[in-house]
Amino acid sequence: MGAWGHGPFENDAAYDYLADLRDGGTTAVPDALRRTLTAFLASQTVEAKSADQAITAAALIAMRAGAAASVSGTVQDFLESHPFAWDDEMRTLASKAFTHALEAENNEWLEIWEDSAGKVAQELEPFRQAVTTT
């Protein structure tokens, strides 16, 4: 049985992505997050899996930036065992990824959430706020 919820860490793709990051080791996390977000932002079509991974990456950066959100024990364990460094560039990429996921045209990911897009946006809001710069 798979995981399926409205939050950024509540799906199988998010947990698979966390496992991949864990396998790469702590020092590889920042570059992996940058690559994921950069590739996602460069895509003309938002595919569901790439969006799930990008949102997971963005939410991890948001947690480091102080997002006022609760996360599962698995995510908390990852954050504690992988104290990766983040910077303003990563924060900007994360902010743009949230916008791209929620507003892009040709968006398979958003089509999946068609009936509950408002709930998804609400769940992402504390993460988005943590990385949005003024």
Side-chain angles (χ1 to χ4, degrees):
M1 183 161 135
W4 192 258
H6 296 98
F9 301 110
E10 297 176 359
N11 60 72
D12 289 336
Y15 284 107
D16 291 345
Y17 185 70
L18 282 175
D20 291 344
L21 290 174
R22 182 175 282 117
D23 291 346
T26 301
T27 58
V29 171
D31 287 338
L33 297 175
R34 277 190 188 90
R35 279 193 308 274
T36 298
L37 294 171
T38 300
F40 176 67
L41 291 169
S43 65
Q44 296 295 324
T45 301
V46 177
E47 296 177 2
K49 183 177 178 179
S50 66
D52 283 332
Q53 291 174 342
I55 288 168
T56 301
L60 287 170
I61 294 165
M63 290 300 295
R64 286 283 185 242
S70 62
V71 294
S72 72
T74 301
V75 175
Q76 196 60 45
D77 289 346
F78 175 84
L79 290 167
E80 290 171 8
S81 65
H82 292 74
F84 65 88
W86 60 278
D87 57 26
D88 285 339
E89 176 197 15
M90 292 170 73
R91 180 193 296 249
T92 299
L93 288 170
S95 178
K96 288 179 179 181
F98 287 125
T99 300
H100 189 57
L102 292 168
E103 297 177 4
E105 293 184 21
N106 300 316
N107 192 328
E108 175 188 60
W109 180 80
L110 203 53
E111 287 175 15
I112 291 170
W113 292 110
E114 180 180 5
D115 293 336
S116 57
K119 177 69 174 163
V120 171
Q122 179 182 354
E123 290 289 323
L124 294 180
E125 187 61 18
F127 299 95
R128 190 192 64 74
Q129 285 181 7
V131 294
T132 300
T133 57
T134 54

